[in-house]
Amino acid sequence: MGKTKKIPKLIGTSVPRVDLQEKATGEAIFTDDIQFGNKLLYARIKRSPHPHALIKSIDTSQAENYPGVKAVVTGADFAGRIGLYLKDRHIFARDRVRYVGEPVAGVAAVSEDVAERALDLIQVEYERLPAVFLPQDAIKPDAPLIHPDLGEYEVVNFIYPKPGTNISNHFKIRKGEPENSWQNCAAIVENEYYIPHIQHVPLETHVAVAKVDLSGKITLWTSSQSPFAQRDLIAKTWGMSPSDIRVISPFVGGGFGCKAGVTMEALPIVIAMKVKGHPVKLRLTREEEFYTNFVRQALLIRLKIGCDAEGNILAMENTMYWDGGASTEYGVNIARAGGYSCTGPYDIPNVKADSYCVYTNNTIGGPYRGFGMSELHTGIEQCIDELADKIQIDKVAFRKRNVVEAGDILATGMVMHPNGIKTCIDKVAGAIEWGKSSQSSDPHKKRGKGIAVMWKAPAMPPNAGSSATLKFNSDGTVFLSVGGQEIGQGSFTVAAQMAAAALGVPVEWVRISRPLDTNYSSYEWQTVASRITWTMGNAILAAAKDARDQIFKIVAEAWSENPDDLELENGVVTSKFSSRKISLKDFVITGIPKGNDQGWIGGPIIGRGKFMPTYVTGLDKETGQGKRAVVHFTTGAQGFIVEIDTQTGKLEIIKAVSAFDVGKAINPDLVKTQIEGGMMQGISSALFEQLVFKEGVLQNPSFVDYRIATTVDTPNQMECYFVEVPQDDGPYGARGVGEHPMVPTIAAIGNAIYDAVGIRLHGPPFTSEKIYFAIKERGQTGS
Amino acid sequence: MVNPLPRLPQFEYIRMDSVEKTVSFLKDKQDEARPLLGGTDLFVVMRDRRLHPKFLVDLKHLDGFKTLTFDNKKGLTVGAAVSLNQLISSKEVQKHFPVLAQAAKQVGGYQLRNRATLVGNLCNASPCGDTIGPSMIYNGKANVVGPSGERVIPLNGFFTGPGQTSLEIGEIVQSLSFPLPPKGSKGTYLSIGRNKLSDLAMAAVTVSAFPNEKSTSGFHFRIALSAVAPTVIYVKEAQELLADQPINDTTIEKAAQIARRVCKPIDDIRASKAYRREMIYTLTLRGLHEVWKSLQS
Amino acid sequence: MKMHTINININGHKESLEVSSNLTLLHMIREELALTGTKNGCEAGECGACTVMVNDEPVNSCMVLAIECDGADILTIEGLTASGELNKLQKSFMKLNAIQCGFCTPGMLLSAYALLQRNPNPTESEIKEALVGNLCRCTGYERIIQAVQDAVSE
């Protein structure tokens, strides 16, 4: 995989993104831009107004007869359940609804307007059931049971639901003897934090167009991070062969996890089955995007951490209650990831962790950038700060003393690999001048500095695979077919870079086959987990090697030379032995003629490669122990200098700094743009964002009251660094970094607030109101 | 919970070629018709299913509605269709009515302010509308025309409750008039939102003052509070204090405390009443100091 | 529903269209004219993804009725390259990687374009204020501000 070989110059160069011009001109096609012609029908969904209720009856007769309506469906039209790790969701509700916004009926009509009016004609009779909205309430024995059939749901073997309860997963870590360690601790901190629901807010809302032809084959055009996973999930649920389902996904206007798995995409499929031959489009409004699809699970986390007099962390108890919402088909794995990552990037010998994924009657919790890590670290990193204070050791020094090093045995028993977390800490601490106090010129304003560290492993099944195909054109240019989706992170660009570097052609010669199309693109599990550069990259390198092997074999045969003496660079094959040359364009499709017109050697070259980790093991159900829980961890640190106006509680970010160990930055500037964007999303989640639910009803389903960061909310200064401690099986040593920049942010800002004004807020968002009253309570209002 | 519509519901767009015909149509159709200026509030409310007028009657093209005029004697006349950006960029507004421009800049983003109008903002009568306090403090008057003819409504009596004005069915505001502020006037508009800009105010204060021989203190202050009562309210008690007592840190502090006491905020999704009350204190204090400082320079 | 004929000049071309009263400018552009560069982000005038120029002023096209644009000059993202050349703002955005998913980009470019029309030499603060009505979730805004500054210095 190129770890001992010299790294090509192209790797580590900030080549321009391959999709810049079409996005700058507006030519880039997103799913709602595709022109479908006159047969297109528009779908709208009737949704439950109740958080928990039985459906007594649905009368669709008036809607069916409404002029312009072509199809009406309800849960009665499709019995199947769908789910990635746990099949717990009906496409349209059957017999009961479990959250406000759950699809109850669907209409396809000649216009959105007609479809919407038809919805009003559908009569649904509900019988309300008691509902539950907090995970700590939902686990009580007398809580309303949201999924009475939990025991019957298909589930993967690494998720452990508890039938007869609202617990859809309980992941445990039992390492060492925490209960006997507290007596040896010189300082112990015990705290509880609540991190509320937030939403991904992609600028492009969900949109899917489904068409079912007369033979029953399905075509789905959708803004998707996961065309292949969607195809396979739909195939399983419909009992079809995946080859009869085609998922096409053009550019994605932001995913952040919400466009992974199958959510609303299945709705137009059910409707389309009633109007075969017609494409049926469903586009979520911004309001629907806020409350009907995926949100980030809320978390209640209880931590107890203790250290000895020297500041070595001896023990941790970590209990996490994840508010999974009405369906936890995806959320169960977030609870698992929270579980095996429960210590944060620290070496802790005694650990007891319980991570519960709990059903509630809130909106469906799903994958969100960080996959549980932001929520987890919000707790851990604030707790660590308090512990360092208690034992009176500098917070940076305390962290450096305890962070994981190569060779450490982690909470699951896995051995930690080399990593650059200490260098990241040093970079960040240096950039915010840790140790030097910062003063505001305004007597009412107080400044503080805070730092937080993090780690995250790609959370995925142990056998999530990637593949890549390189197809040549007669001029030597190449079509690279991958399944890794461009969701803004730059994956198409680094794919082209890696292919060009590994193959030996200029980067401009590599085109990505797009849009992604499961009929033609090479298989990729999903574009999630910050895994694509690493896993797709490995597949690309394998495909490039495969192509090179074929190329060298052909040329060697033609020249009667040894393939080992051949080199391919800039699209030209040269021999180190004889100095002969031949350009790819001269033979890569049509082969090389034998001497004296005696025939031909070669033919059209196709390089193919795959990558799937082979070494991830299962974990013991009772202890969470196993040889290798995850493929690897990306580590990093973040620091903030904040300034707080004590008279209003308003917080301004003076400086924001990040450093992440990416193994090898394939495209340094794209790594930086990911860090910048992630940090800003983190800042937004720390200061502004919260989905406010009242009895299951979202109170702020629009930008008016769900605030996100705007241009004027940016830090005065932002610095991004990356560190490169190579990943042993990463392409050129690379590791992912897409999610990580928003993971430590809430904690780092929380720690900076404490440094500034001596207050601890036990959950974001850190609004000016919360800060103001906390300061007042502490008796520190400026005067 | 009712899901908002995916697009604007059906309605008829109406344009009459005179004010009289417009007013007559509005009176005729009663609740079925709404006047249309920028639409920035109306369209959102219609998608939210809170209003479903059959007719939207555009006013923007009517004679004089897009005109902003300034006269050294009469003061400022702002036509109903004058956009907030038009208002903000007017040199006369910047010079003579700076607080109006300052407050208008808080509304939404630049694109929105090309459509939002001052009259529309006022007629929307949101308790947290940024332009209301400054419009009142500048003694604005609404020039209204209706089925029974024309009348002038001083803004101080125009707002009757959240989202409610004293306009009757069929009446529209043709323009706003602002007399020239008294010589030496200074003022400021301070608000606090969740983001630094473009958010609705959780609390806001408009402060203005001018030299006044008739006051013991030598100055006449006006303080208007926004987002902390059903309508914008003056802090009369504080205004009187600042007229009767010499102006210094003590009186200013007292005035700010009075403002905190008299405001009537509520808890809502943006802020609690307790926080709003405290911010009224802080903003009033800051506003008074700022204006006092500029009066002295 | 009654249909109305409107005449517009869009990106330098004259068009005559039949529109219903409730058709917004956004939907007219995207659906009647199939100019899909302008995006639908919220339909409530909050996100700026639908920004276009009407009579030389940037507006949220989701908050404007098509019928109100009778006789108007409209510029969409496609119009920035009507001459066949990339606008200097587009070049700067590309140069500085101020584009990630690309969904906010057309609206952002139109807002920036409008800014430079009225203020050819804006300060950093003025750039931020001019773009406060354009939300971006991917870039964190840093590169976008830098790109506008870069275009100014060109």
Side-chain angles (χ1 to χ4, degrees):
Chain A
M1 297 292 168
K3 44 185 149 114
T4 49
K5 281 200 269 198
K6 201 179 80 155
I7 293 186
K9 224 172 67 172
L10 191 54
I11 302 299
T13 304
S14 298
V15 305
R17 292 178 66 117
V18 300
D19 51 357
L20 285 171
Q21 180 161 316
E22 58 200 303
K23 286 177 176 175
T25 59
E27 289 172 292
I29 296 290
F30 296 81
T31 304
D32 194 41
D33 302 333
I34 302 173
Q35 304 295 306
F36 287 96
N38 290 335
K39 287 189 95 170
L40 180 66
L41 297 175
Y42 298 83
R44 290 293 295 157
I45 305 297
K46 189 157 185 84
R47 300 180 178 279
S48 167
H50 305 300
H52 202 194
L54 295 173
I55 300 174
K56 303 300 281 181
S57 68
I58 307 184
D59 181 359
T60 58
S61 52
Q62 275 189 289
E64 285 167 44
N65 294 322
Y66 192 72
V69 168
K70 301 298 180 190
V72 182
V73 305
T74 66
D77 290 297
F78 192 79
R81 278 201 196 95
I82 197 163
L84 183 63
Y85 297 110
L86 170 71
K87 275 170 94 176
D88 71 358
R89 212 171 77 236
H90 286 298
I91 315 294
F92 284 91
R94 284 167 69 85
D95 65 75
R96 73 156 80 184
V97 289
R98 296 176 169 88
Y99 69 103
V100 174
E102 180 163 4
V104 169
V107 171
V110 295
S111 72
E112 258 188 341
D113 199 28
V114 170
E116 186 70 30
R117 278 183 275 141
L119 292 186
D120 289 337
L121 300 173
I122 298 175
Q123 313 294 330
V124 186
E125 212 191 305
Y126 295 99
E127 182 187 302
R128 296 195 68 160
L129 295 171
V132 62
F133 303 109
L134 290 172
Q136 61 268 40
D137 290 340
I139 56 166
K140 294 185 179 146
D142 56 344
L145 203 56
I146 299 173
H147 283 268
D149 299 329
L150 181 57
E152 292 163 35
Y153 298 160
E154 239 181 85
V155 61
V156 298
N157 69 356
F158 51 86
I159 299 294
Y160 316 121
K162 300 222 157 349
T165 74
N166 286 321
I167 297 171
S168 56
N169 193 20
H170 178 192
F171 182 90
K172 298 186 229 187
I173 295 277
R174 302 286 184 266
K175 181 191 177 199
E177 291 178 17
E179 56 286 353
N180 294 331
S181 308
W182 304 118
Q183 65 217 24
N184 303 327
C185 293
I188 299 173
V189 169
E190 221 174 325
N191 266 322
E192 180 178 295
Y193 306 87
Y194 180 73
I195 297 92
H197 299 91
I198 62 175
Q199 213 271 334
H200 312 61
V201 191
L203 255 292
E204 179 207 27
T205 61
H206 279 76
V207 51
V209 182
K211 187 172 81 127
V212 180
D213 69 25
L214 288 173
S215 70
K217 290 200 181 55
I218 300 171
T219 311
L220 185 69
W221 293 262
T222 175
S223 176
S224 168
Q225 297 175 231
S226 316
F228 286 93
Q230 292 184 332
R231 181 190 69 172
D232 292 347
L233 283 167
I234 291 163
K236 278 227 178 84
T237 298
W238 261 263
M240 290 169 67
S241 164
S243 59
D244 289 332
I245 299 163
R246 180 177 178 191
V247 181
I248 300 168
S249 185
F251 283 117
V252 173
F256 312 110
C258 71
K259 292 174 182 168
V262 172
T263 53
M264 52 71 79
E265 298 81 8
L267 299 166
I269 295 177
V270 176
I271 302 173
M273 301 203 118
K274 276 204 171 168
V275 277
K276 293 204 162 75
H278 286 271
V280 177
K281 181 192 291 204
L282 176 65
R283 197 187 75 87
L284 294 190
T285 62
R286 177 57 62 184
E287 293 80 10
E288 287 174 315
E289 184 69 40
F290 273 117
Y291 78 95
T292 70
N293 227 56
F294 270 153
V295 300
R296 191 175 80 177
Q297 300 178 129
L299 172 67
L300 175 68
I301 175 171
R302 295 191 174 126
L303 286 164
K304 184 175 177 183
I305 315 182
C307 66
D308 64 19
E310 282 76 53
N312 298 304
I313 303 175
L314 296 182
M316 172 196 269
E317 245 175 61
N318 184 344
T319 312
M320 291 168 271
Y321 300 101
W322 301 88
D323 182 341
S327 158
T328 62
E329 50 110 352
Y330 214 127
V332 284
N333 202 26
I334 296 167
R336 182 173 195 269
Y340 62 63
S341 314
C342 65
T343 55
Y346 294 107
D347 180 27
I348 305 180
N350 301 285
V351 182
K352 175 172 188 267
D354 291 276
S355 186
Y356 299 93
C357 186
V358 187
Y359 284 119
T360 64
N361 294 111
N362 287 321
T363 301
I364 298 175
Y368 184 114
R369 190 175 195 173
F371 212 69
M373 295 302 105
S374 300
E375 305 89 288
L376 172 70
H377 286 78
T378 296
I380 292 180
E381 280 301 274
Q382 292 193 86
C383 225
I384 291 286
D385 241 36
E386 282 195 53
L387 189 58
D389 254 353
K390 225 172 172 181
I391 202 73
Q392 297 186 314
I393 293 178
D394 174 82
K395 291 158 182 173
V396 167
F398 187 88
R399 287 178 167 85
K400 282 177 76 171
R401 191 185 190 91
N402 286 287
V403 286
V404 285
E405 292 174 339
D408 283 346
I409 312 285
L410 302 176
T412 57
M414 172 174 158
V415 177
M416 186 61 189
H417 54 79
N419 67 82
I421 193 171
K422 285 192 187 158
T423 314
C424 291
I425 295 173
D426 285 337
K427 272 202 166 5
V428 165
I432 60 172
E433 292 187 296
W434 181 263
K436 245 171 90 173
S437 101
S438 183
Q439 299 298 342
S440 172
S441 48
D442 186 324
H444 300 304
K445 294 189 175 167
K446 295 217 151 56
R447 287 195 178 185
K449 299 185 182 185
I451 185 169
V453 298
M454 64 76 63
W455 72 349
K456 181 184 186 290
M460 51 192 186
N463 55 353
S466 309
S467 62
T469 321
L470 286 164
K471 260 177 11 180
F472 286 86
N473 304 307
S474 53
D475 61 350
T477 58
V478 180
F479 272 106
L480 170 62
S481 171
V482 289
Q485 175 66 292
E486 177 58 69
I487 59 174
Q489 83 285 54
S491 63
F492 282 174
T493 306
V494 295
Q497 253 180 293
M498 288 192 279
L503 192 54
V505 301
V507 69
E508 298 79 19
W509 285 23
V510 180
R511 313 293 159 83
I512 308 293
S513 294
R514 52 193 176 87
L516 296 193
D517 182 332
T518 55
N519 273 13
Y520 306 111
S521 301
S522 302
Y523 175 86
E524 181 61 66
W525 179 65
Q526 293 200 81
T527 300
V528 294
S530 310
R531 62 187 282 276
I532 287 299
T533 298
W534 175 73
T535 183
M536 176 191 70
N538 281 332
I540 291 171
L541 262 50
K545 179 170 190 303
D546 184 53
R548 279 168 71 97
D549 286 348
Q550 293 171 60
I551 287 165
F552 292 152
K553 183 160 183 261
I554 290 165
V555 176
E557 191 186 325
W559 292 351
S560 303
E561 291 195 31
N562 193 328
D564 292 340
D565 289 331
L566 298 177
E567 191 42 82
L568 168 54
E569 217 177 295
N570 268 314
V572 179
V573 179
T574 52
S575 165
K576 288 179 278 192
F577 179 73
S578 64
S579 299
R580 288 173 79 169
K581 294 191 210 253
I582 182 169
S583 289
L584 284 181
K585 65 175 166 36
D586 292 331
F587 70 94
V588 82
I589 297 291
T590 51
I592 305 177
K594 289 183 181 167
N596 284 329
D597 215 1
Q598 291 306 300
W600 289 84
I601 304 164
I605 310 243
I606 295 182
R608 74 257 188 278
K610 69 175 190 309
F611 178 76
M612 190 183 85
T614 52
Y615 43 74
V616 174
T617 67
L619 301 175
D620 183 276
K621 188 172 174 183
E622 294 307 318
T623 62
Q625 301 299 300
K627 183 143 184 271
R628 180 95 178 238
V630 297
V631 292
H632 56 254
F633 288 89
T634 294
T635 58
Q638 224 166 56
F640 285 86
I641 304 177
V642 304
E643 183 174 274
I644 296 177
D645 181 337
T646 55
Q647 293 183 320
T648 60
K650 274 238 161 268
L651 183 147
E652 187 156 327
I653 298 178
I654 306 299
K655 193 167 187 183
V657 186
S658 275
F660 290 94
D661 175 10
V662 302
K664 177 71 190 168
I666 305 291
N667 187 319
D669 205 45
L670 291 189
V671 170
K672 289 201 167 152
T673 54
Q674 277 298 283
I675 295 176
E676 287 166 17
M679 252 209 286
M680 207 56 225
Q681 198 171 2
I683 290 168
S684 191
S685 71
L687 301 182
F688 303 120
E689 296 181 45
Q690 178 178 0
L691 290 168
V692 179
F693 287 102
K694 200 164 128 182
E695 302 286 304
V697 179
L698 183 62
Q699 305 297 301
N700 55 343
S702 81
F703 284 123
V704 174
D705 283 319
Y706 187 95
R707 307 300 297 174
I708 69 169
T710 64
T711 47
V712 297
D713 300 307
T714 48
N716 295 2
Q717 267 186 289
M718 197 189 260
E719 280 173 27
C720 302
Y721 300 99
F722 56 81
V723 162
E724 292 174 313
V725 174
Q727 183 60 40
D728 62 358
D729 67 352
Y732 306 108
R735 218 181 276 118
V737 72
E739 297 166 277
H740 309 68
M742 82 173 282
V743 169
T745 316
I746 297 172
I749 291 177
N751 291 341
I753 293 173
Y754 181 79
D755 188 50
V757 290
I759 58 159
R760 277 277 168 211
L761 294 170
H762 283 238
F766 302 136
T767 61
S768 57
E769 173 168 342
K770 283 187 191 170
I771 293 176
Y772 176 80
F773 281 122
I775 293 174
K776 239 188 148 198
E777 213 184 287
R778 197 177 181 275
Q780 240 194 25
T781 19
S783 55
Chain B
M1 173 170 193
V2 175
N3 203 15
L5 298 169
R7 8 186 116 194
L8 286 177
Q10 286 183 0
F11 59 84
E12 265 315 306
Y13 172 85
I14 302 288
R15 231 192 210 198
M16 296 282 156
D17 52 22
S18 73
V19 171
E20 293 72 38
K21 289 195 184 143
T22 301
V23 156
S24 174
F25 185 91
L26 286 168
K27 169 109 201 273
D28 221 22
K29 299 294 179 187
Q30 301 271 314
D31 283 333
E32 289 191 326
R34 297 285 290 208
L36 171 67
L37 283 169
T40 57
D41 292 310
L42 187 57
F43 292 155
V44 172
V45 156
M46 284 169 72
R47 263 193 70 231
D48 264 354
R49 303 172 189 253
R50 282 182 279 147
L51 273 181
H52 195 156
K54 266 169 104 167
F55 305 98
L56 288 191
V57 187
D58 201 349
L59 309 180
K60 296 192 283 293
H61 59 288
L62 293 172
D63 243 354
F65 275 50
K66 282 213 173 95
T67 316
L68 177 77
T69 52
F70 177 75
D71 180 294
N72 265 310
K73 297 218 169 60
K74 282 201 264 175
L76 184 72
T77 307
V78 182
V82 168
S83 74
L84 291 183
N85 275 344
Q86 230 182 308
L87 189 77
I88 292 165
S89 60
S90 150
K91 293 269 180 295
E92 278 88 8
V93 172
Q94 289 169 22
K95 180 161 182 226
H96 299 282
F97 305 89
V99 186
L100 200 51
Q102 190 190 359
K105 266 183 159 177
Q106 304 292 320
V107 177
Y110 191 85
Q111 302 96 303
L112 200 80
R113 292 197 294 273
N114 271 333
R115 289 284 293 179
T117 61
L118 180 60
V119 163
N121 220 224
L122 297 184
C123 290
N124 193 45
S126 162
C128 59
D130 290 298
T131 57
I132 298 179
S135 295
M136 284 168 61
I137 267 190
Y138 281 126
N139 286 316
K141 294 183 176 55
N143 301 311
V144 173
V145 61
S148 348
E150 298 189 343
R151 62 181 178 126
V152 177
I153 309 177
L155 289 181
N156 290 329
F158 184 72
F159 307 98
T160 57
Q164 290 160 6
T165 66
S166 49
L167 290 175
E168 318 230 330
I169 299 258
E171 283 192 313
I172 56 172
V173 175
Q174 292 188 94
S175 63
L176 298 164
S177 300
F178 297 93
L180 216 54
K183 205 150 177 270
S185 285
K186 301 283 178 202
T188 190
Y189 176 77
L190 297 176
S191 69
I192 186 162
R194 291 157 296 188
N195 300 78
K196 266 200 201 155
L197 263 190
S198 86
D199 191 12
L200 296 171
M202 294 188 276
V205 175
T206 318
V207 177
S208 79
F210 58 88
N212 185 2
E213 292 168 340
K214 294 194 210 132
S215 306
T216 315
S217 68
F219 295 92
H220 179 83
F221 272 80
R222 270 184 145 178
I223 305 169
L225 310 181
S226 306
V228 288
T231 64
V232 170
I233 53 175
Y234 285 117
V235 191
K236 292 212 167 73
E237 202 186 311
Q239 289 171 183
E240 278 159 25
L241 179 78
L242 292 165
D244 296 339
Q245 303 279 333
I247 304 196
N248 52 40
D249 284 353
T250 313
T251 32
I252 287 180
E253 167 69 30
K254 279 199 185 137
Q257 296 211 12
I258 294 169
R260 171 167 54 196
R261 187 180 17 96
V262 306
C263 66
K264 294 175 278 207
I266 56 170
D267 290 323
D268 73 11
I269 197 165
R270 285 166 217 139
S272 69
K273 55 173 170 260
Y275 184 65
R276 290 182 148 121
R277 223 184 276 282
E278 297 307 309
M279 290 308 101
I280 286 295
Y281 165 80
T282 301
L283 296 177
T284 304
L285 192 73
R286 288 183 177 180
L288 286 171
H289 277 294
E290 188 185 317
V291 170
W292 178 231
K293 196 164 165 205
S294 56
L295 282 172
Q296 296 179 298
S297 59
Chain C
M1 246 203 316
K2 187 157 157 244
M3 300 299 274
H4 307 264
T5 308
I6 62 167
N7 296 297
I8 57 171
N9 187 328
I10 180 156
N11 298 332
H13 301 289
K14 287 192 169 38
E15 295 273 356
S16 189
L17 295 139
E18 292 276 297
V19 301
S20 62
S21 290
N22 66 339
L23 185 72
T24 58
L25 180 60
L26 173 64
H27 288 296
M28 185 200 84
I29 289 170
R30 284 185 58 79
E31 290 159 16
E32 303 306 312
L33 296 173
L35 292 167
T36 56
T38 307
K39 304 301 181 199
N40 185 347
C42 73
E43 207 121 22
E46 296 279 341
C47 76
C50 67
T51 306
V52 300
M53 303 279 276
V54 175
N55 293 333
D56 279 330
E57 286 292 343
V59 291
N60 295 314
S61 59
C62 69
M63 292 272 108
V64 176
L65 300 176
I67 196 172
E68 290 178 288
C69 298
D70 188 19
D73 284 325
I74 300 169
L75 179 72
T76 70
I77 182 72
E78 291 87 351
L80 279 192
T81 44
S83 60
E85 287 280 311
L86 290 172
N87 178 282
K88 66 177 179 176
L89 276 166
Q90 289 167 310
K91 289 185 188 158
S92 294
F93 268 59
M94 289 165 63
K95 186 168 114 194
L96 288 162
N97 272 335
I99 302 173
Q100 289 189 31
C101 84
F103 202 77
C104 79
T105 306
M108 199 66 81
L109 281 167
L110 262 308
S111 271
Y113 175 81
L115 169 67
L116 297 188
Q117 298 268 79
R118 65 178 184 269
N119 182 355
N121 212 339
T123 62
E124 183 181 314
S125 192
E126 286 170 333
I127 295 172
K128 286 184 178 179
E129 280 180 32
L131 300 182
V132 82
N134 288 82
L135 299 179
C136 173
R137 198 55 156 168
C138 296
T139 67
Y141 304 107
E142 286 288 302
R143 302 296 177 105
I144 292 173
I145 313 294
Q146 288 167 17
V148 179
Q149 289 170 318
D150 184 70
V152 168
S153 66
E154 284 297 312

